Amino acid sequence: MGKIPFDTLSPEQHENVRSALAAAFGSAPVDAITRVTGGATTASTFRVDIGGRRYLLRAEGEPSPLRNPHQYVSMRIATEAGIAPEIHYIDEVTAWR
């Protein structure tokens, strides 16, 4: 992984992204990483292509007072209900450092 497209992330966020990819996919080679723009939050999102499959990576931004305090629970519920993509990795602890 080069500096692009993670050049918009802080060094700590960059390391968190590297750790998340390693935790979720082990040593599988990353084929491509593309920044996904848009959205109403301060999170940075990326499409990550690994092994011929596409995944969405979300790196939290600055916490907002409008943040849903139950967002990770909500993500899991939506995944279990089959209305959201499978979750491969969540690290709630480092998300808000």
Side-chain angles (χ1 to χ4, degrees), residues 2 11-12 24 26 32-33 43 73 90-91 94:
E12 184 178 12
I33 299 174
V73 172
I90 292 180
D91 183 348
T94 60

Side-chain angles (χ1 to χ4, degrees), residues 20-93:
L21 289 173
F25 303 106
S27 61
V30 175
D31 302 321
I33 299 174
T34 308
R35 186 167 174 79
V36 177
T37 58
T41 70
T42 59
S44 297
T45 52
F46 303 91
R47 189 184 86 198
V48 181
D49 298 356
I50 299 174
R53 296 194 61 194
R54 294 177 178 171
Y55 302 91
L56 185 66
L57 183 142
R58 183 175 191 268
E60 296 290 352
E62 289 294 318
S64 163
L66 301 176
R67 176 186 168 266
N68 173 358
H70 309 290
Q71 70 182 12
Y72 299 115
V73 172
S74 299
M75 287 179 194
R76 286 186 180 104
I77 291 169
T79 296
E80 290 168 6
I83 58 173
E86 181 181 356
I87 296 171
H88 294 275
Y89 180 82
I90 292 180
D91 183 348
E92 297 175 39
V93 175

